[in-house]
Amino acid sequence: MRILHVLLVVLFLMLQGAAGQHEFPRPHDACTRLNGRCFPGICRRPYYWVGQCGNGFSCCRRCVEM
């Protein structure tokens, strides 16, 4: 069963190469979908880190306290 999974992954990568895609598709606005903003460096208060932006910046979201 494990070999089947490996073969499917290899087939998927081969099909991507044949289609001209050299990397996995990545959403462009992943940070904005997380209600975040891109900042250079690390996130400072009142923001906290939720991911990484496409340009290498940190995706930071504002901390909401109740």
Side-chain angles (χ1 to χ4, degrees):
M1 193 66 166
R2 178 170 280 199
I3 292 175
L4 179 63
H5 288 112
V6 172
L7 290 176
L8 287 174
V9 168
V10 170
L11 177 66
F12 176 72
L13 292 175
M14 286 176 56
L15 289 175
Q16 267 194 326
Q21 294 180 344
H22 297 292
E23 60 184 42
F24 292 104
R26 190 180 296 179
H28 297 293
D29 59 342
C31 190
T32 52
R33 271 195 289 127
L34 293 171
N35 294 327
R37 294 175 45 193
C38 295
F39 289 105
I42 62 172
C43 302
R44 303 278 184 198
R45 284 185 187 246
Y47 294 94
Y48 64 96
W49 188 84
V50 292
Q52 189 171 7
C53 298
N55 56 2
F57 287 1
S58 295
C59 180
C60 305
R61 186 179 353 184
R62 189 173 192 82
C63 182
V64 178
E65 295 190 23
M66 297 194 184

